[in-house]
Amino acid sequence: MTPSQALRQQCGEIDIYLFDQLARGRLDGRTRILDAGCGAGRNLPFFLAHGFEVHAIDADAQAIAAVERQWPGIDARRGELDRMPWEAGSMDAVIASAVLHFARDEAHFDAMVQELWRVLRPNGLFFARLASSIGIEPWLGGATTGRMRLPDGSARFVVDEAMLLAMTDRLGGTLLDPLKTTNVQNQRAMTTWVMGK
C-alpha cells in the first residue's frame, strides 16, 4: 500500500483544512460532531474510525442514502441547515465544509449560520469553508457579497471579510484562526472560517 493509499484509508477524502484543525488538536475532547451539508460523507471516515459520535445532515436524499449505505446506523438525516432537528447546545463541533455558499440570499445564509450556531454547545468549535470574494474582487464586477456567478462559471453565495467578521461579532464568537483564503487562479476563492463559541 502506498503512503497516499494508507492516508486515504485512514482519513477518507477529508477536507485538508479540516484535517489541519484535527492535527492542531482543535477537535480533541470534542467528540459529538455534526457534519452539516455532509454530501456523501467525505469528511466522516476519520471521525467514525476514531470514536467520535457523528451526526450528519444534507438536503440531498441520495447523499444521505449513500452515507447510510456506507455506515449503517449513523445518525444521518435529510433536512435543511436553516431548521435542524437537534437540540440547542447539543454538538461539540459543527462542520460546514463547502455548503454555506449554496445559500439563496443573505437572509438564507444568516438563517443557516444562526441554526448551526444554535446547536453548538458553549466552548464548541465552528468550522466552515465557503466561497468568498477575498482576493478576487477585481474579477467580480464590483460586488463582494451576495449570490453571483464566479469566474469559474459556478453560481455561489459569496461573502467578504467584513461580512464574516460582522457575523462573528453578532454571534459572540471568537475567531480561533485568522480568516484564511485560497485563491484558485482568480476563478474562485474559498475561505476557512473557524470560531469558538
Side-chain angles (χ1 to χ4, degrees):
M1 180 179 298
T2 67
S4 62
Q5 289 170 325
L7 189 60
R8 275 195 304 279
Q9 184 177 21
Q10 182 175 13
C11 298
E13 300 292 331
I14 196 166
D15 179 296
I16 191 70
Y17 300 94
L18 179 56
F19 182 83
D20 175 58
Q21 297 298 310
L22 279 163
R24 293 167 55 205
R26 291 267 169 78
L27 287 131
D28 293 355
R30 292 181 165 120
T31 57
R32 190 174 163 99
I33 305 292
L34 172 62
D35 189 348
C38 63
R42 71 177 282 225
N43 289 315
L44 300 181
F46 179 87
F47 295 114
L48 290 165
H50 290 88
F52 287 81
E53 180 186 334
V54 177
H55 304 267
I57 188 168
D58 200 284
D60 183 345
Q62 290 180 333
I64 292 300
V67 167
E68 290 172 331
R69 273 193 308 278
Q70 179 84 11
W71 301 286
I74 188 174
D75 179 22
R77 304 185 193 194
R78 183 176 179 272
E80 300 293 334
L81 299 191
D82 58 352
R83 49 188 186 283
M84 296 189 297
W86 294 284
E87 293 181 18
S90 60
M91 300 296 167
D92 295 325
V94 170
I95 298 162
S97 182
V99 67
L100 292 173
H101 52 237
F102 294 116
R104 294 182 298 273
D105 53 32
E106 188 169 348
H108 187 220
F109 176 82
D110 287 348
M112 288 192 293
V113 173
Q114 291 284 350
E115 184 68 354
L116 296 171
W117 196 252
R118 180 190 68 79
V119 301
L120 187 62
R121 72 163 172 78
N123 299 312
L125 177 82
F126 174 92
F127 171 91
R129 290 259 306 145
L130 66 165
S132 78
S133 61
I134 301 169
I136 62 167
E137 296 90 340
W139 292 271
L140 298 179
T144 60
T145 64
R147 188 137 184 98
M148 65 183 73
R149 186 153 307 279
L150 297 175
D152 70 0
S154 65
R156 300 279 186 259
F157 181 83
V158 175
V159 298
D160 63 9
E161 180 178 351
M163 186 177 185
L164 291 180
L165 294 178
M167 178 65 87
T168 301
D169 219 33
R170 250 189 343 267
L171 293 168
T174 303
L175 286 180
L176 298 180
D177 279 336
L179 297 175
K180 296 177 183 175
T181 302
T182 303
N183 179 329
V184 184
Q185 282 195 311
N186 301 322
Q187 295 295 299
R188 70 180 180 279
M190 293 291 289
T191 294
T192 304
W193 182 26
V194 185
M195 295 187 288
K197 186 171 184 181

